[in-house]
Amino acid sequence: MLILAVDTALNACSVAILRSGEVLLSRVEPMTKGQAERLAPMTREVLAEAGVEPAALDRIAVTRGPGAFTGLRIGLAFARGLAVALDRPCVGISTLEVLAHGASALRTVAAIEVAGSLFVGAWEGRACRLEPCRQRAEDVLARLDGDWTLTGPGAQTLARLRPDWPMAAQDLPDPVVLAQLAQHLDPHLNPPAPLYLRGHEAKLPGGISLEVDSL
């Protein structure tokens, strides 16, 4: 299976290509803005350097959140558009799940902090033990038994309360891990639908901010 994975959920623009589990090429460019302009050219570059024609792809994979609101929409729109153009399935995977499996630990808590909110999920092997959610650090730890490895750009918030738990430093989801996970998932059960976990702010006349729940 030939898989193209793309990610713009956090502070990077990332693309990877895997063929039957073998990494053909992976590229990660850190950036806080500009993903909309960079993602398509980067994808073309990676495909060309790997010697892969777009029509040869079997599947597209994309992170679906949580993450930056604009970044998520960029990656999801691109992946879905490419999948439609090529008539290929598109798999959406939680950013937290990609981070958790990228830590290479048996029991992992992945955390992302965005705009003052903490988003977490926990996995034991392939089994999800805590569904991605928005919670206070204290409440997260109260729901977990035993020892866990912490990872993700929000892990330090949890580590302050559990300094005895090991840390797997990881600020960005690895597109290779994203592609590896996508190999084993049913596209019909894992669609590229955004997972916001919080509202996004809409500006009203007069400068008033209104948080609108997305999911």
Side-chain angles (χ1 to χ4, degrees):
M1 182 182 292
L2 191 58
I3 299 178
L4 171 72
V6 299
D7 164 63
T8 57
L10 298 176
N11 295 328
C13 190
S14 306
V15 179
I17 301 178
L18 266 68
R19 176 184 284 126
S20 302
E22 177 189 358
V23 181
L24 298 186
L25 198 62
S26 175
R27 183 162 298 159
V28 178
E29 295 184 6
M31 61 182 70
T32 56
K33 58 183 179 180
Q35 289 96 331
E37 294 78 18
R38 184 66 185 122
L39 182 55
M42 180 188 288
T43 301
R44 286 195 296 269
E45 293 164 10
V46 169
L47 287 169
E49 291 176 34
V52 173
E53 291 293 332
L57 295 171
D58 296 304
R59 180 171 292 189
I60 315 297
V62 62
T63 44
R64 68 186 194 96
F69 179 75
T70 301
L72 285 178
R73 294 177 68 85
I74 291 167
L76 286 166
F78 177 82
R80 289 187 295 207
L82 183 60
V84 169
L86 297 175
D87 192 23
R88 298 292 187 272
C90 186
V91 176
I93 303 176
S94 163
T95 315
L96 291 166
E97 185 171 0
V98 178
L99 286 166
H101 286 87
S104 300
L106 177 60
R107 308 177 83 211
T108 309
V109 180
I112 298 171
E113 199 158 9
V114 179
S117 295
L118 186 67
F119 306 95
V120 296
W123 281 263
E124 185 171 4
R126 295 296 299 273
C128 183
R129 300 305 185 196
L130 177 63
E131 290 288 343
C133 59
R134 177 189 182 190
Q135 281 198 344
R136 296 187 312 141
E138 295 85 352
D139 296 334
V140 171
L141 297 177
R143 297 176 62 180
L144 298 172
D145 296 323
D147 294 328
W148 294 79
T149 296
L150 303 174
T151 195
Q156 286 291 349
T157 300
L158 297 174
R160 284 193 287 269
L161 299 176
R162 289 304 305 258
D164 55 314
W165 284 1
M167 287 272 292
Q170 196 180 195
D171 289 331
L172 298 169
D174 186 341
V176 171
V177 175
L178 171 61
Q180 290 170 338
L181 291 171
Q183 293 180 101
H184 309 289
L185 297 177
D186 184 340
H188 295 97
L189 299 178
N190 298 272
L195 180 63
Y196 295 123
L197 298 182
R198 73 186 297 269
H200 62 277
E201 283 194 346
K203 293 293 184 180
L204 301 179
I208 299 173
S209 293
L210 175 67
E211 189 175 83
V212 181
D213 288 332
S214 301
L215 285 179

